[in-house]
């Protein structure tokens, strides 16, 4: 059986990008794999300036949205990272396998650190070591597949490198994981800045569709999406990123192909209108389930408690093995 692990960071409200690029596929995965794990990775939310109350709130909200998006706790394990100590236990050991140079080469680190320094702020050490913790998240569970959006490919690659290196040095311990990517809409772009992804941590609201946006808000954002000055609906990611993004979102919502869809539309207006409808319909059932789950917080807490217990049971033997292999004396 294939073991699947993925995580979502509670650094902002979940977006359409998170859903189409990752979470929606997770809901499919759990039908086939009884041991898929999906984690709200709250420790990762502490790597940048944060507000404790907000992280707590977003962690609960992300977990609730995962369940609303169709993850079935009978079929997969849904839990919060900080509830399972094995992640940080293993992370330290993996820091002893990783090199500082390869950490500094991570694109996301370079970008975020540069942005932070520009603002005159300091960079938390945990931002540098974050990919090691992510590798630990993955490796602790003997994960085969990591379904993530494109921007995480480099981090999963690092997890592979660390697994291989550990195994070579200390004996076979870890499964070497691989990233799996969605076909269409692997990377949903910001509607206002189609050159950058629709990230939940960015605060530029008008280009980001949040999963809990009301239909009216969705309509406004999609109708105001930046297209191009050129006329005609053409699918060309490089030259016409704004239109390509809308075509990909529409295709991802309806299960079509962006190239084929481009032939159906004569005007941007019609494309935007249909994209709005498709997104609103996509979000409707999810929002209804979210509302119902919010009315029953004890249920969500129970799911997370059971999830953490199950996750701990899976990770502990693996982390114990790694501790022994690297030379630590068993307690
Ligand atoms: N780094 C991922 C992101 O920013 C979140 C993440 C943390 C993750 N640990 C993970 C994803 C392990 C997959 C597997 O989206």
């Amino acid at each position: 059986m294939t073991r699947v692990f993925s995580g979502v960071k509670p650094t902002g409200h979940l977006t359409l990008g998170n859903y189409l690029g990752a979470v929606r596929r997770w809901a499919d995965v759990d039908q086939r794999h009884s041991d898929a794990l999906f984690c709200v990775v709250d420790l990762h939310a502490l790597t940048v300036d944060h507000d404790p109350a907000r992280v707590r709130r977003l962690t609960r909200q992300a977990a609730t949205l995962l369940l609303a998006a169709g993850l079935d706790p009978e079929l997969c394990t849904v839990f919060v990272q900080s509830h399972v100590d094995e992640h940080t236990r293993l992370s330290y050991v993996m820091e002893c396998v990783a090199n500082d140079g390869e950490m500094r080469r991570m694109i996301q680190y370079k970008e975020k650190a540069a942005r932070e320094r520009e603002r005159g702020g300091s960079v938390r050490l945990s931002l540098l070591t974050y990919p090691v913790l992510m590798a630990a998240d993955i490796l602790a569970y003997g994960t085969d597949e990591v379904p993530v959006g494109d921007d995480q490919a480099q981090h999963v690659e690092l997890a592979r490198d660390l697994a291989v290196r550990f195994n070579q040095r200390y004996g076979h311990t870890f499964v070497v994981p691989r990233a799996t990517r969605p076909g269409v809409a692997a990377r949903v772009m910001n509607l206002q800045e189609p050159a950058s992804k629709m990230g939940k941590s960015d605060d530029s609201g008008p280009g980001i569709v949040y999963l809990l946006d009301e239909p009216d808000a969705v309509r406004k954002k999609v109708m105001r999406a930046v297209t191009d000055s050129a006329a005609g609906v053409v699918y060309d990611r490089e030259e016409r990123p704004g239109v390509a993004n809308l075509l990909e979102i529409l295709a991802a919502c309806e299960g079509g192909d962006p190239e084929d869809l481009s032939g159906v539309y004569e005007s941007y207006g019609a494309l935007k209108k249909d994209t709005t409808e498709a997104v609103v319909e996509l979000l409707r059932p999810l929002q209804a389930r979210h509302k119902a789950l919010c009315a029953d917080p004890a249920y969500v807490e129970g799911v997370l408690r059971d999830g953490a217990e199950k996750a701990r049971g899976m990770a502990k033997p693996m982390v114990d093995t790694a501790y022994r292999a690297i030379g630590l004396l068993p307690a």
Side-chain angles (χ1 to χ4, degrees):
M1 194 173 306
T2 312
R3 169 114 355 140
V4 176
F5 182 99
S6 199
V8 63
K9 217 168 25 173
T11 43
H13 298 281
L14 291 190
T15 72
L16 185 64
N18 299 128
Y19 183 67
L20 293 178
V23 176
R24 183 168 71 167
R25 276 182 311 144
W26 301 354
D28 288 340
V29 159
D30 69 7
Q31 312 298 324
R32 290 179 291 125
H33 312 274
S34 62
D35 60 355
L37 297 113
F38 300 106
C39 184
V40 182
V41 287
D42 53 349
L43 296 170
H44 290 281
L46 311 184
T47 55
V48 289
D49 215 6
H50 78 286
D51 167 23
R54 184 163 188 264
V55 169
R56 208 152 30 231
R57 200 167 57 241
L58 289 174
T59 299
R60 193 176 295 119
Q61 191 195 68
T64 308
L65 277 170
L66 291 184
L67 300 176
L71 296 191
D72 180 347
E74 299 288 318
L75 300 173
C76 64
T77 307
V78 180
F79 70 108
V80 173
Q81 183 188 30
S82 65
H83 295 177
V84 179
D85 290 342
E86 313 318 307
H87 295 245
T88 47
R89 257 185 95 213
L90 182 59
S91 183
Y92 176 73
V93 159
M94 299 321 285
E95 281 185 21
C96 302
V97 178
N99 307 314
D100 75 322
E102 64 193 342
M103 291 303 107
R104 289 179 207 284
R105 278 198 296 278
M106 292 287 128
I107 295 163
Q108 215 172 58
Y109 170 73
K110 288 202 283 195
E111 287 177 357
K112 286 193 181 176
R115 229 180 297 149
E116 197 55 53
R117 290 199 179 96
E118 254 168 48
R119 285 203 215 112
S122 55
V123 177
R124 294 185 182 180
L125 181 58
S126 54
L127 187 68
L128 180 64
T129 56
Y130 151 103
V132 181
L133 177 58
M134 175 162 164
D137 298 339
I138 296 167
L139 299 179
Y141 296 94
T143 302
D144 300 290
E145 290 182 2
V146 189
V148 278
D150 277 357
D151 61 313
Q152 295 301 317
Q154 196 188 26
H155 293 155
V156 178
E157 199 56 39
L158 177 84
R160 289 174 64 88
D161 291 348
L162 296 183
V164 168
R165 198 176 305 156
F166 188 103
N167 290 348
Q168 277 167 354
R169 281 188 197 159
Y170 308 111
H172 187 81
T173 305
F174 295 117
V175 174
V176 180
R178 65 180 176 279
T180 55
R181 317 165 50 224
V184 172
R187 203 154 185 224
V188 176
M189 309 310 272
N190 187 303
L191 297 173
Q192 290 297 321
E193 303 157 41
S196 44
K197 78 162 182 168
M198 190 185 279
K200 61 180 153 1
S201 321
D202 313 333
D203 22 41
S204 74
I208 303 172
V209 176
Y210 295 101
L211 294 185
L212 294 178
D213 275 349
E214 302 278 341
D216 253 3
V218 174
R219 193 163 298 123
K220 276 202 193 103
K221 290 173 183 177
V222 176
M223 294 312 283
R224 285 182 197 156
V226 168
T227 43
D228 323 277
S229 43
V233 177
V234 177
Y235 181 62
D236 182 341
R237 266 196 130 187
E238 297 298 314
E239 299 295 323
R240 316 276 295 274
V243 176
N245 192 33
L246 290 175
L247 287 166
E248 288 193 4
I249 292 172
L250 179 60
C253 290
E254 299 193 331
D257 174 74
E259 182 84 56
D260 295 347
L261 281 171
S262 68
V264 175
Y265 291 95
E266 310 239 309
S267 74
Y268 294 156
L271 170 62
K272 285 178 172 178
K273 191 163 167 291
D274 284 4
T275 305
T276 301
E277 288 317 310
V279 172
V280 168
E281 287 314 310
L282 183 79
L283 297 185
R284 195 190 301 282
L286 189 150
Q287 293 181 350
R289 282 196 297 269
H290 178 262
K291 199 168 163 204
L293 288 165
C294 282
D296 192 358
Y299 169 77
V300 177
E301 270 167 38
V303 166
L304 295 179
R305 204 178 314 112
D306 294 349
E309 194 176 323
K310 243 166 78 191
R312 216 174 286 127
M314 288 188 228
K316 188 159 188 311
M318 178 67 86
V319 179
D320 285 347
T321 304
Y323 265 48
R324 256 177 266 120
I326 204 168
L328 299 170
L329 187 67

